[in-house]
Amino acid sequence: MAEPATVDRGIQSLLAASNHLKSSLEKSKAIGVALERTSPRFDEIEQRLPSLEAAVRPIRADREALVAVGGHINRAVGPAAAVLKVFDAVHGLEKSLLSDPKNDLSGYLAVLKRLEEALRFLGENCGLAIQWLEDIVEYLEDHSVADEKYLSNLKKSLRGLREFQQEKARLDGGLRDAALDKLENEFRRLLKDNSVPLPMASPSPSLGEQACIAPSQLPVTVIHKLQAVLGRLRANNRLEKCVSIYVEVRSSNVRASLQALDLDYLDISVTEFNDVQSIEGYISQWGNHLEFAVKHLFEAEFKLCNDVFERFGSNVWMDCFSKIAAQAGMLAFLQFGKTVTDSKKDPIKLLKLLDIFTSLNKLRGDFNRLFGGAACAEIQSFTRDLIKKLIDGAAEIFWELLVQVEIQKQIPPPSDGGVPRLVSFVTDYCNKLVGDKYKSTLTQVLLIHKSWRSERFQENQLTVEILRIIKMIEQNMDSWMKAYPDQTLAHFFGMNNHYHLYKSLKGTRIGDQLGDSWLKEHDQYKEYYATVFLRDTWGKLPSHLSREGLILFSGGHATARDLVKKRLKSFNDAFDEIYKKQSTWVVPEKDLRERVCQQIVQAVVPVYRSYMQNYGPLVEKDASSSKYVRYTVVALEKILSSLYIPRPMRYGSFKGTPPSEKLRNDVDLRRTTSAVV
């Protein structure tokens, strides 16, 4: 039997155990309730556990593997972090580069340069950073540090980065292109705002005496801005676009400067005119306009192209200038010259070809300097072709002149006994060819033409040929005189034409070459034919007013009256016959005409006056006096003094040709009719 003390201790122990158990049951119940409340959280964790496990699986690798991977990761993260930092900087420039460069061009260019440097860094380092990251993935894969799904996602991301890096334009999201477009617009604005053509001060045809009217030169500050913009655009391969903009703006400005000159005639075609005389005024303007365009407008553009593009090499600015010249109208000037060379051949054309050649030759130095570069090959080729056409055309017309003059010999002489158009035309024409204006140019043209054909050209060959033409005119005159069936008209023709040769050639270079004896001979021929003409026509009139027999019948008025009537009637009939015949005849030279008329008056009027004073009263009282006294002395003198006046001028020579008139048959040496009528 146990002792009471021992039992007591056991009971106390049981009570303590019971209390502890009871407390534990209550805690367990509380924990159960709490677990029921957190059950959904555990379900969510259970669902994410596989992915979390995969994500932390590399961390769960052995210590040595983790240490090795850490070094590789550190080497790759450094470059990648630097690239990301630059990306952030690029996006920080966006606001500045999307603003208007006009407000602060230098600041804008500086920001753009920073963008270019950032993009250059990205271009050089993005690939390297991606390559290092790819190396890490490859290491993880080789050492089985991470599972396949993790590595697959990494590889996919790196492939996207690689594609993005290869499309360099996407590195800045198009920011650089947008900034460059704004710079191009600013380049255009600077040019347009400072390229203002000045209006022509006056329509004066003498542009050479006029102050230089050219587009205003760009200020130095503007040129510096243009050069700064060009520098950035060229660095981004946009120089060609800048050249296009420059050519567009400046060529348009030159065209605007030329508009005041009224150059519509440059577009005329060969089919729009019959001959060069109908556009003679345009040809004269052409020379002045071309000189103005070359010496002022294109000269200014040449210098400006050099100023703006000089830093980029001569090829760039010369190419730019050549395009401006072509687009502004230089080729149109040359095309007009070619149109003239393609027109119908005639003597006037020779002079116009020489005018065009003179204009081009005067500008030869300017042409060689402005358009001599390789970039102006088209203008050079066009100019060479034009000069060749000018020389060939002028030489061909000149060497054919003698033959063309000789052909005119077959044409009937003029019915009015005047100077054939051919004679007046050729003498005046030849004087022009050997005059100060054309002689040196024609000599140069003929010399060049001969040299092209490997032929010699003698120094005096031009003069010799001109003298041959004049002597052919002499031969034609002899043939025409012989062709008249009426010898009186032949003598009248001889008087007119010998005097014309004498007067038109005396004191000229041709006259000096022919000599005083030649000129004197023609003057003598004129006197001879004038004397014979007067003798055989008007000189016979006084004989009809003879006084023979009138003295014997002084006492018989009736008999004397009848004799006076008879002689007056004979005089009137002879006078009317001569006047009717010669009323259409002409003496073109005024001084010769006045002299001939004076001689006729002196030969006829004094005799008629004396006769009428003495015997007029015998018939004036007669009822039929008007049948016999047809003319008073005053009327007769007036009629005779008004003989041989030419009808309204028939154009055909160099002088007096109306601008609106065409060069018709009368001056075309190739014609077979009307050259001498």
Side-chain angles (χ1 to χ4, degrees):
M1 185 174 177
E3 293 182 5
T6 302
V7 174
D8 186 54
R9 284 196 296 272
I11 292 172
Q12 288 180 355
S13 297
L14 288 172
L15 289 173
S18 174
N19 291 332
H20 180 71
L21 179 61
K22 184 179 180 180
S23 176
S24 297
L25 288 173
E26 290 177 354
K27 290 181 179 180
S28 296
K29 184 179 180 180
I31 290 172
V33 173
L35 286 173
E36 288 179 359
R37 292 177 179 174
T38 57
S39 178
R41 296 277 305 275
F42 281 114
D43 291 340
E44 183 180 351
I45 292 172
E46 185 177 6
Q47 291 175 2
R48 295 176 59 189
L49 188 58
S51 60
L52 291 172
E53 182 181 4
V56 300
R57 186 169 296 166
I59 303 174
R60 293 168 59 190
D62 60 79
R63 183 181 182 84
E64 293 179 359
L66 290 176
V67 172
V69 169
H72 287 284
I73 292 175
N74 289 336
R75 285 193 297 272
V77 168
V83 168
L84 290 174
K85 185 176 181 180
V86 173
F87 264 118
D88 290 339
V90 166
H91 290 295
L93 302 177
E94 184 173 350
K95 182 179 180 180
S96 297
L97 292 177
L98 293 181
S99 64
D100 191 345
K102 176 182 178 181
N103 300 326
D104 182 11
L105 181 59
S106 59
Y108 192 92
L109 293 172
V111 173
L112 178 58
K113 188 174 183 181
R114 287 169 55 193
L115 174 64
E116 294 170 9
E117 292 171 350
L119 294 178
R120 190 179 306 112
F121 176 85
L122 292 176
E124 294 172 353
N125 292 279
C126 273
L128 180 61
I130 293 171
Q131 182 63 52
W132 282 33
L133 292 173
E134 289 174 342
D135 291 343
I136 290 297
V137 173
E138 184 178 353
Y139 181 88
L140 294 175
E141 188 175 25
D142 291 344
H143 293 80
S144 301
V145 177
D147 67 359
E148 293 182 0
K149 186 176 181 180
Y150 181 79
L151 294 175
S152 176
N153 289 336
L154 284 177
K155 289 180 180 180
K156 183 178 180 181
S157 298
L158 289 174
R159 280 197 301 272
L161 287 175
R162 179 66 71 183
E163 293 174 359
F164 184 82
Q165 182 264 337
Q166 289 175 350
E167 297 181 24
K168 294 183 178 180
R170 296 177 59 186
L171 290 176
D172 62 348
L175 180 59
R176 176 170 56 180
D177 286 342
L180 294 175
D181 290 343
K182 285 184 172 293
L183 273 186
E184 287 180 356
N185 293 334
E186 177 64 8
F187 185 79
R188 182 187 296 275
R189 187 196 66 79
L190 285 170
L191 282 173
K192 278 193 170 183
D193 289 354
N194 294 278
S195 298
V196 182
L198 299 180
M200 192 62 60
S202 67
S204 171
S206 181
L207 294 172
E209 300 175 2
Q210 189 170 310
C212 173
I213 305 297
S216 57
Q217 288 296 297
L218 300 184
V220 175
T221 55
V222 173
I223 293 177
H224 289 166
K225 288 182 179 180
L226 292 173
Q227 290 175 335
V229 172
L230 284 170
R232 293 269 49 85
L233 291 173
R234 186 194 190 193
N236 290 277
N237 298 318
R238 292 210 182 189
L239 182 60
E240 186 175 348
K241 181 65 180 298
C242 290
V243 170
S244 298
I245 294 173
Y246 186 91
V247 170
E248 175 191 342
V249 174
R250 294 302 298 181
S251 61
S252 175
N253 197 61
V254 174
R255 288 195 301 271
S257 298
L258 290 171
Q259 282 181 353
L261 299 180
D262 190 14
L263 300 179
D264 291 344
Y265 69 87
L266 294 181
D267 298 325
I268 194 171
S269 65
V270 178
T271 59
E272 294 181 70
F273 61 94
N274 294 330
D275 45 62
V276 294
Q277 193 171 19
S278 61
I279 60 168
E280 186 174 357
Y282 291 147
I283 297 173
S284 299
Q285 290 179 19
W286 178 87
N288 291 329
H289 292 165
L290 177 64
E291 181 177 357
F292 173 76
V294 171
K295 286 187 172 293
H296 300 318
L297 300 184
F298 292 123
E299 176 71 33
E301 292 305 317
F302 183 82
K303 292 178 179 177
L304 189 58
C305 281
N306 181 33
D307 291 343
V308 174
F309 292 96
E310 63 178 339
R311 299 178 183 177
F312 309 104
S314 60
N315 290 339
V316 174
W317 71 264
M318 281 298 295
D319 179 65
C320 184
F321 170 72
S322 70
K323 291 176 180 177
I324 291 174
Q327 294 184 23
M330 187 62 212
L331 293 177
F333 277 104
L334 299 176
Q335 178 59 51
F336 177 82
K338 182 178 181 298
T339 299
V340 176
T341 65
D342 291 337
S343 63
K344 181 179 62 179
K345 285 196 305 182
D346 62 49
I348 298 296
K349 179 180 176 180
L350 170 57
L351 301 181
K352 299 302 106 183
L353 294 181
L354 294 178
D355 286 340
I356 295 176
F357 180 85
T358 299
S359 296
L360 291 174
N361 196 44
K362 182 179 180 181
L363 297 171
R364 181 172 56 180
D366 299 284
F367 264 70
N368 291 338
R369 182 169 49 82
L370 299 179
F371 311 115
C376 296
E378 184 179 10
I379 294 177
Q380 294 170 24
S381 177
F382 214 120
T383 304
R384 283 194 298 268
D385 290 344
L386 174 57
I387 291 176
K388 187 176 189 308
K389 282 180 170 289
L390 291 171
I391 292 175
D392 287 342
E396 182 179 359
I397 294 174
F398 177 77
W399 294 118
E400 288 180 358
L401 285 175
L402 180 63
V403 175
Q404 297 299 332
V405 171
E406 185 178 12
I407 291 174
Q408 305 300 312
K409 187 186 301 183
Q410 305 169 5
I411 298 172
S415 59
D416 60 8
V419 178
R421 290 176 180 140
L422 176 72
V423 176
S424 58
F425 177 88
V426 170
T427 52
D428 195 5
Y429 186 75
C430 289
N431 277 330
K432 285 181 177 292
L433 290 181
V434 297
D436 293 335
K437 183 177 180 180
Y438 290 110
K439 182 179 181 181
S440 61
T441 302
L442 179 56
T443 301
Q444 183 181 3
V445 165
L446 297 177
L447 176 62
I448 295 173
H449 187 259
K450 288 283 188 181
S451 67
W452 286 349
R453 303 170 65 179
S454 299
E455 298 176 0
R456 293 186 62 187
F457 180 76
Q458 302 294 334
E459 184 177 353
N460 65 339
Q461 198 164 348
L462 170 60
T463 302
V464 170
E465 188 69 14
I466 292 295
L467 295 182
R468 291 178 65 193
I469 293 172
I470 295 299
K471 291 179 179 179
M472 182 57 66
I473 287 291
E474 285 186 288
Q475 295 179 26
N476 287 8
M477 285 168 49
D478 292 340
S479 297
W480 289 328
M481 284 189 66
K482 294 175 182 178
Y484 280 110
D486 183 350
Q487 285 300 301
T488 300
L489 184 55
H491 295 152
F492 186 81
F493 172 86
M495 173 193 70
N496 268 325
N497 284 271
H498 282 286
Y499 183 67
H500 177 80
L501 285 182
Y502 169 79
K503 184 177 181 180
S504 61
L505 297 179
K506 182 178 175 61
T508 66
R509 291 179 178 177
I510 297 177
D512 293 342
Q513 290 292 325
L514 291 168
D516 290 338
S517 60
W518 186 92
L519 293 170
K520 185 176 181 180
E521 180 181 2
H522 282 280
D523 189 41
Q524 290 173 344
Y525 272 123
K526 177 263 297 181
E527 291 293 339
Y528 169 75
Y529 288 122
T531 300
V532 174
F533 162 72
L534 289 171
R535 183 195 66 192
D536 294 344
T537 55
W538 300 103
K540 293 181 178 181
L541 275 179
S543 64
H544 293 279
L545 299 177
S546 172
R547 302 189 183 200
E548 183 179 353
L550 290 177
I551 298 177
L552 296 176
F553 297 103
S554 58
H557 290 288
T559 304
R561 183 183 302 113
D562 291 341
L563 192 57
V564 169
K565 287 181 179 181
K566 180 179 179 180
R567 290 176 179 174
L568 282 175
K569 183 178 184 303
S570 176
F571 174 87
N572 291 334
D573 291 344
F575 178 88
D576 290 346
E577 181 182 358
I578 296 174
Y579 181 81
K580 181 180 179 181
K581 181 179 180 180
Q582 298 187 16
S583 62
T584 58
W585 295 6
V586 298
V587 178
E589 301 293 346
K590 182 180 179 181
D591 56 339
L592 178 61
R593 181 173 64 252
E594 292 177 348
R595 181 181 174 189
V596 169
C597 289
Q598 183 181 16
Q599 290 176 342
I600 294 173
V601 168
Q602 290 175 349
V604 176
V605 172
V607 175
Y608 185 74
R609 178 185 295 109
S610 176
Y611 195 83
M612 291 303 296
Q613 287 175 348
N614 290 314
Y615 307 108
L618 293 176
V619 295
E620 287 174 351
K621 296 179 181 180
D622 194 283
S624 60
S625 63
S626 59
K627 293 173 56 178
Y628 306 103
V629 184
R630 297 179 187 175
Y631 308 101
T632 65
V633 174
V634 174
L636 185 66
E637 183 174 358
K638 184 176 181 180
I639 291 173
L640 294 177
S641 298
S642 302
L643 286 168
Y644 314 128
I645 298 175
R647 294 185 295 276
M649 190 171 186
R650 292 163 298 171
Y651 299 103
S653 67
F654 287 85
K655 299 178 180 179
T657 305
S660 60
E661 286 289 306
K662 306 295 184 184
L663 180 61
R664 300 186 297 261
N665 296 349
D666 48 5
V667 292
D668 190 340
L669 297 186
R670 298 174 299 164
R671 301 293 191 267
T672 56
T673 60
S674 77
V676 293
V677 296

